[in-house]
Every structure is written in structure tokens, then in C-alpha cells.
Amino acid sequence: MSEVLNNDLLKRLPGDVRVPGDRPGNAGVLHIGAGAFHRAHQAVYTDDTDWGITVAAPRSRDVIDALAAQDGLFSVATLGPEGASMRVVGAIVDTLHIATERERALDLIAADTTHVVTLTVTEKAYRDPEGVPGLLAAGLARRAARGGPPLTILCCDNLPDNGKTTRAAVEPLLDPATRAWADEHVTFPSSMVDRIVPASTTATYDRALAGLGVTDLAAVEAEPFSQWVIEDDFAGPRPDWNATFTNDVAGWERLKLRTLNGVHSALAYLGALADVETISETLALPGAEDFARWLISEQIAPSFAPPDGQDTVAYGEDVLERFANPGIRHRCLQIAMDGSQKLPQRLFATIADLADADVARDLIALPLAAWTRFCSGRSDAGAELPLDDPLGDVIRRRLAAAGPDPAARIDAILGFRQIVPEPVADDHQLRRAAAKWLRELDRHGVATTLEHL
Ligand code: CS2
């Protein structure tokens, strides 16, 4: 293996690689969740300020060990239709492994020098009181007991009202004294984050080696587009991020969750069933792009009013162009993960609002049918499909009990009240349409179904 990226090597990197300026001395931001998305999104925004980040990994140490061996440095390859560029990010000044360094994690949440805690811990983490919410609650108790300065907890996960969701996960875990202190000193702004960042693969590390001339085991790759809309509700100081600060994040969250993430999940299940590896390849199936376009204009757009100045159909066109980026190999199976945690905000909220507005739900029933067939575990070519979902076992049991009949399988999914809200569960028009699509998918497969739409 060649040398690994580190501070001393920064001066020797090829001239076309952008390198960080003066490295920040201390952090200011504690980030929880060391995934690729954080490195290609919030870390890049922070790299353009004079703040630094301590990155804390809840469980797996792979990424933080790689970062620690590289003085916190890593590269982001931006892959556009017109080629690639590379930058090294220097915002990460320290790392922490929560599973083995819980005391240090609590001290950091309580520290005077920590002003903002950011989170990318995936949708399901907010439902686990023993996990990140419990850690935050214990850290806040320590900060409150010390009479520490105000703290902002900023959720960067793809959830609606993600600030309120985070507060609702943490608050019930606080003792009365901490709760009273937190009411005065802690804020939970919402934020909408957006950048397509596939999980890193050996191709990512090979590309980093070719571009940098040294090994980077924390390398990530991403599309050129990046957006961050943050509710302007900070308890104390914050980095001067080049983000949009607003009082209407909810509108942006809805626009992004329903349009980008909703279509993403729809394509991911269709693609996985059709034995196609990536989103851009799925979009290239005959009929797929037309379907995505109809889904946006006929179902997603009529379900809500976009934020001021935005047009959902035009936004959706940009999204489809981003999905088609051939430089990004975003695997359908990555996006298909955790459907039970994602579809409520990506699909079911849209369906409920359409029913309210009396708009037919024919087309949006297709992704529901695709998810149902995906959960059954076989692709159109008979390959085994993994169900990587915290509720996967229950879903599979329900489907097995329903037997092969499409209507019974749709009922098994719609009747799962932990996931499906009441108006959607009782939507007979949706049930009929989804059962019809599922019969089509079972009989003819995704490719034929899309082609004949
Ligand atoms: C994707 C998102 O994995 C998924 O479920 O839909 O990670 C998506 O790529 C990002 O939200 C884009 O900002």
C-alpha cells in the first residue's frame, strides 16, 4: 500500500486537488454518525469556515480509524456528467468511538467548547431511546448540571420536521431539572440536507489513489449538486456555513422528501426487482423516465404546496437529471434499505394528502406494489433480494401469512399499523390499484410493466 493521506503530504498532492487552508485548532461542532453523507455534505460546508468537527461513530470504527490515521483528512471526488474534480477536506479535527468512549462522548456534549451537535444517524435511530437519543439526554444532563452554555442540536437526517422529531426523541428522556434547563438553553432547528452520496466502494478508493497519489481510506464521492436549508434557530454561536437560513424549512423538507426521496425509493424498488444495479441504469429502462415524470406531475406535485418560489415539476426535472448522472453509481439496494422507516414520509404522506384532495392514487400505487414485491424477497429473474430493514422479519411474516394472492399481500402491508397511517390503510382505491399493479409485476415483471404503462 502507498503512503496514507496526512498533514505532511498535503503540500505534495497534485496541483489540481483543492487542499484545506489553515486547519482549525478545536472543534465547536460535535457530529454523530460517520457515514459518507456527512463527509460529503456537512464536513464540506464546515471546511469553508474556520470551525472544526469532532466526528463520533456510534458503532463501527472503520471510518473513524481511517480518519484518525489520516489526521482527519479525506477526499471528496465530485463526479459530474462532464468529469471529476477532487478536494481534500480538513474540517475534521478529532474522532470518537461512542461504543467504547461513552464518557468522553458525554463530556464533549457537555463541554463549553461544543456549540453545535449535528446528527446523521439514519431514520431508525430516533426510535431507539437506548441509542443516540439516550446519549444526547445524558450529555444534556451533564451540561445542565455544570450550568454550561447554550447548545444547538441539529438533525441532518431525511425526516419531516426533523428538529421536532429529534426533540421529541430526547425530551422524554430528560430528568425534570435538565428539562427545565434545556427549555431555556437548547434548540433543535430543522434542516433539509441534499446531496447524492453513494456508499464508498473499492472504486472510490481506487479513484482517490489515482487522483491523490496516496491512499485515502476515508474517501467519498458525490454529485456536484449540494443544498442545505436550515431553520434559523441557533441557541449559541454557529459556523458561518454557506447554507440557506430560513424560517420555512418544513416546505423544503416536504418538497425534497416527497419528490427526490419519494422517486428515489420508487426507482430503487423497481430497479432491484428488475435486477438492475443502480438508479441511473433503472432510469434508463424503457418507460422508467416517463413513469418518474408522471409520478412527479400527477401525484407528487398535487399533494402539497411547495415553498415560495419553487415549482415541484421543475424541481423534479432537476432531480431526474441528477439521478441520470452516469458518474454516480448509486445502488438500488442501498436506497431500498429501511423502507419501513423511509416510506411513511416519502410515499404514505403523499398518498394521504392526495386522498384528502380527492386526486386518484393510481400511479403512486405502483411503488407501493413494487415495495411489497421487493419485501417478498425475489427479483423478476428469481435472484434473492435482501430485506435490510429493522421491521423486516415482521413484514416477511405478514407477507408469508397472506399467501400468493396480490390483494391479500397488499392488505398485509397496508394493515401494518406501525408503518402505515390510518387514512392510507383505509384507502380502498389505493388498495385496489396496488393489488392490480402487484398482479402485473408478479405476472410480467418490472420491465414489461414499465414499457406498457
Ligand atoms: C436516498 C438518500 O438512501 C436513500 O434513501 O434516497 O440518501 C438520498 O440520496 C439523499 O437524501 C440525497 O440528498
Side-chain angles (χ1 to χ4, degrees):
M1 196 164 87
S2 70
E3 284 176 294
V4 295
L5 182 64
N6 63 41
N7 280 333
D8 296 334
L9 291 176
L10 276 181
K11 293 176 287 298
R12 287 176 18 209
L13 296 179
D16 57 348
V17 176
R18 181 171 158 190
V19 293
D22 286 343
R23 305 286 308 278
N26 58 26
V29 176
L30 169 65
H31 180 79
I32 304 180
F37 183 74
H38 167 67
R39 277 169 281 154
H41 192 273
Q42 303 97 53
V44 171
Y45 282 86
T46 308
D47 199 38
D48 292 332
T49 75
D50 53 6
W51 286 51
I53 303 170
T54 297
V55 173
R59 276 175 300 273
S60 162
R61 351 182 18 119
D62 296 353
V63 171
I64 53 167
D65 284 349
L67 285 169
Q70 297 179 179
D71 296 324
L73 297 169
F74 65 94
S75 62
V76 182
T78 299
L79 308 175
E82 281 98 41
S85 65
M86 197 168 275
R87 89 182 258 187
V88 171
V89 172
I92 294 179
V93 295
D94 206 353
T95 58
L96 167 81
H97 184 227
I98 297 174
T100 56
E101 296 178 280
R102 193 177 165 86
E103 276 305 305
R104 211 181 125 219
L106 297 177
D107 281 343
L108 263 179
I109 297 171
D112 286 0
T113 44
T114 303
H115 300 292
V116 182
V117 176
T118 51
L119 306 169
T120 53
V121 288
T122 78
E123 293 89 344
K124 57 182 176 281
Y126 298 84
R127 295 179 186 236
D128 174 15
E130 316 260 284
V132 173
L135 179 84
L136 290 171
L140 288 181
R142 202 167 279 194
R143 198 172 177 103
R146 296 185 48 249
L151 184 69
T152 303
I153 299 181
L154 179 58
C155 176
C156 303
D157 278 298
N158 284 317
L159 288 161
D161 277 328
N162 61 5
K164 281 205 195 82
T165 304
T166 309
R167 181 194 285 269
V170 174
E171 245 175 23
L173 309 176
L174 300 177
D175 61 83
T178 305
R179 170 88 190 250
W181 177 86
D183 281 347
E184 295 277 302
H185 295 91
V186 182
T187 59
F188 294 84
S190 284
S191 82
M192 181 276 252
V193 290
D194 191 8
R195 190 171 193 188
I196 293 176
V197 186
S200 296
T201 63
T202 44
T204 317
Y205 306 119
D206 290 349
R207 186 195 311 275
L209 177 59
L212 303 169
V214 297
T215 296
D216 175 5
L217 292 178
V220 292
E221 51 194 33
E223 65 169 339
F225 182 92
S226 184
Q227 189 177 23
W228 198 2
V229 182
I230 309 175
E231 186 183 357
D232 202 352
D233 181 25
F234 284 77
R238 62 160 171 85
D240 189 15
W241 287 312
N242 184 17
T244 304
F245 294 90
T246 167
N247 291 322
D248 177 26
V249 180
W252 282 101
E253 283 181 324
R254 205 176 299 120
L255 176 64
K256 193 237 166 184
L257 284 168
R258 293 190 185 188
T259 316
L260 188 149
N261 297 112
V263 178
H264 228 186
S265 289
L267 291 171
Y269 296 120
L270 291 166
L273 287 171
D275 302 277
V276 171
E277 198 180 339
T278 66
I279 290 294
S280 61
E281 289 160 1
T282 304
L283 208 50
L285 291 173
E289 197 172 323
D290 285 339
F291 162 68
R293 204 161 266 136
W294 289 331
L295 188 65
I296 294 166
S297 62
E298 306 301 316
Q299 307 273 258
I300 297 169
S303 77
F304 67 100
D308 271 355
Q310 292 298 306
D311 175 85
T312 305
V313 172
Y315 176 93
E317 280 300 320
D318 293 344
V319 163
L320 294 184
E321 207 172 296
R322 291 166 57 196
F323 285 175
N325 179 351
I328 296 289
R329 294 193 55 78
H330 205 178
R331 290 173 61 246
C332 294
L333 288 180
Q334 187 191 343
I335 298 152
M337 266 173 55
D338 289 350
S340 70
Q341 312 294 301
K342 292 174 175 174
L343 295 185
Q345 54 275 11
R346 296 180 180 205
L347 205 61
F348 300 147
T350 310
I351 292 171
D353 285 343
L354 285 177
D356 261 358
D358 216 10
V359 179
R361 277 84 67 207
D362 299 21
L363 214 51
I364 201 161
L366 174 54
L368 173 63
W371 182 51
T372 306
R373 184 163 155 80
F374 175 87
C375 291
S376 304
R378 289 270 164 214
S379 75
D380 293 344
E384 199 178 313
L385 293 170
L387 186 55
D388 197 339
D389 189 303
L391 298 177
D393 289 346
V394 196
I395 295 172
R396 285 240 161 117
R397 271 203 300 278
R398 293 184 73 97
L399 284 173
D405 176 53
R409 276 148 71 211
I410 292 295
D411 281 351
I413 290 288
L414 288 183
F416 193 7
R417 300 313 279 266
Q418 232 179 306
I419 315 177
V420 183
E422 195 177 306
V424 177
D426 297 341
D427 185 337
H428 298 293
Q429 199 231 318
L430 175 79
R431 288 165 89 158
R432 273 195 305 278
K436 190 198 88 190
W437 286 121
L438 185 54
R439 187 164 288 118
E440 286 278 312
L441 293 176
D442 284 350
R443 277 198 194 145
H444 308 294
V446 167
T448 307
T449 303
L450 286 177
E451 232 173 310
H452 292 136
L453 264 180

